[in-house]
Amino acid sequence: DVTGAYIKNYQIVIVKDSSLTSLESLKDKVVVAESGSAGETAAKADQYLSVGYKPVESQTEALLQVKSGAADACVIDFVMAKSLVGNK
């Protein structure tokens, strides 16, 4: 037996600087995502995010780089972001 879908997950972009309000505003900015993840696939596929993309070891590291200012944005799973960042 197989259940129906019980969770909806997707990739989101997290920024610290509130002036970064669109994907286009992230062109030439440092964008990180976990190497081998769906976030990396999304970042590499986007014309703006891919310009400054750099892989990191984990989604947690990606968030920490944004928090510290080492990266301008990260691309991670919505579910992961919600559990670590909340509704901020």
Side-chain angles (χ1 to χ4, degrees), residues 52-71:
Y53 173 71
K54 296 182 180 185
V56 295
E57 292 293 317
S58 68
Q59 291 185 62
T60 305
E61 182 182 347
L63 281 170
L64 289 173
Q65 286 208 13
V66 172
K67 183 177 181 180
S68 72

Side-chain angles (χ1 to χ4, degrees), residues 18-88:
S18 62
S19 71
L20 301 171
T21 58
S22 68
L23 293 177
E24 188 172 359
S25 69
L26 292 168
K27 184 177 181 185
D28 298 321
K29 301 291 185 187
V30 176
V31 177
V32 295
E34 179 182 18
S35 179
S37 71
E40 178 178 60
T41 301
K44 286 181 170 182
D46 184 84
Q47 66 178 334
Y48 302 115
L49 299 178
S50 63
V51 175
Y53 173 71
K54 296 182 180 185
V56 295
E57 292 293 317
S58 68
Q59 291 185 62
T60 305
E61 182 182 347
L63 281 170
L64 289 173
Q65 286 208 13
V66 172
K67 183 177 181 180
S68 72
D72 298 293
C74 68
V75 183
I76 66 170
D77 295 339
F78 168 76
V79 172
M80 177 72 144
K82 182 124 173 109
S83 71
L84 294 176
V85 178
N87 292 326
K88 295 179 183 178

